[in-house]
Every structure is written in structure tokens, then in C-alpha cells.
Amino acid sequence: MPVTASQLVAAARSSIREIAPADAAKVLPGPVLIDVREPGEFQDGHLPGAINLPRGVLEFQVEAHPAMACTTTPALADRDRPVLLYCRSGGRAALAACSLAAMGFSDVRSIAGGFQAWAEAGLPVTRP
């Protein structure tokens, strides 16, 4: 039976760890901070210190797939290093957290409510 995108996100959220924006701000800059939004969204504003790895290429980028010119972020070489993900509202980050967990990352969390919740909480944002 087919499922909707909302159902996929709900299933992902039930199997990942989400962290409130204020709690995420307390643990930074420790974890690798990944923004899984598209480059244009990232350019409009992002969390300080974030790496932009769009959801559509995340798994390939992490694996240094030839489709991504065999490059990756050195911080992601250690699968036990904490990773903190976010997107606009939390859905893409939840799906990304499931993917990274399946790929062997042992400490993956997602910011509940994503960039929107972070900005609404008055937390710092880097803008061009």
C-alpha cells in the first residue's frame, strides 16, 4: 500500500532523536551540524557553522560517491561523531537522520521544527 510523504516523515520521526532548538544551541559547536536544505535556502540564512549537504545528495556526499566528484566532509569520516541535522521545518532532516543511522552513524539527532523553530526562538542565524 502506498504511503504519503507525511507518513514517511512521521515514521522517520518515530525512530529518530529530535532535540529542541534551545537544547541544540547548548550542545553546539560539538556535533557536526548539517543543513539538508537546498543551496538557495542555505544562502538565505543558516545556523552558524553549518555544512550544507542537501537531502537529495546527502548519502552520496557522505560516501564520497563518484557522482559527487569523490569529495566528502572530513568531519563525517568518524561515524561515531555526533551529527545534528536540520532543514526548514524538520521533515527532510528526519528522513536524513534515518538514512545516516542506516549508514552506521551512531549519534544522529534532528532539530525539532528545523530552521523555522530555531529562528523563531531568536537563536543566531548567519545571513549573507
Side-chain angles (χ1 to χ4, degrees):
M1 173 193 228
V3 297
T4 66
S6 295
Q7 290 169 318
L8 285 172
V9 169
R13 281 196 168 121
S14 72
S15 67
I16 65 165
R17 294 183 302 153
E18 286 190 305
I19 184 171
D23 293 331
K26 292 175 189 172
V27 301
L28 291 172
V32 178
L33 180 61
I34 301 175
D35 183 326
V36 299
R37 299 176 302 155
E38 293 300 311
E41 294 173 284
F42 184 82
Q43 291 298 333
D44 287 342
H46 55 273
L47 277 58
I51 299 166
N52 185 218
L53 297 176
R55 171 73 192 99
V57 296
L58 177 68
E59 295 85 356
F60 298 111
Q61 186 75 28
V62 167
E63 287 290 321
H65 191 279
M68 294 304 298
C70 295
T71 60
T72 191
T73 301
L76 296 174
D78 179 1
R79 305 261 169 140
D80 292 322
R81 184 165 178 197
V83 175
L84 184 57
L85 304 164
Y86 73 93
C87 62
R88 184 181 60 81
S89 61
R92 288 175 282 179
L95 295 170
C98 283
S99 290
L100 291 182
M103 293 175 74
F105 287 84
S106 63
D107 187 0
V108 181
R109 291 174 283 174
S110 173
I111 297 177
F115 183 80
Q116 286 179 329
W118 178 275
E120 288 170 5
L123 295 166
V125 172
T126 298
R127 299 206 190 267

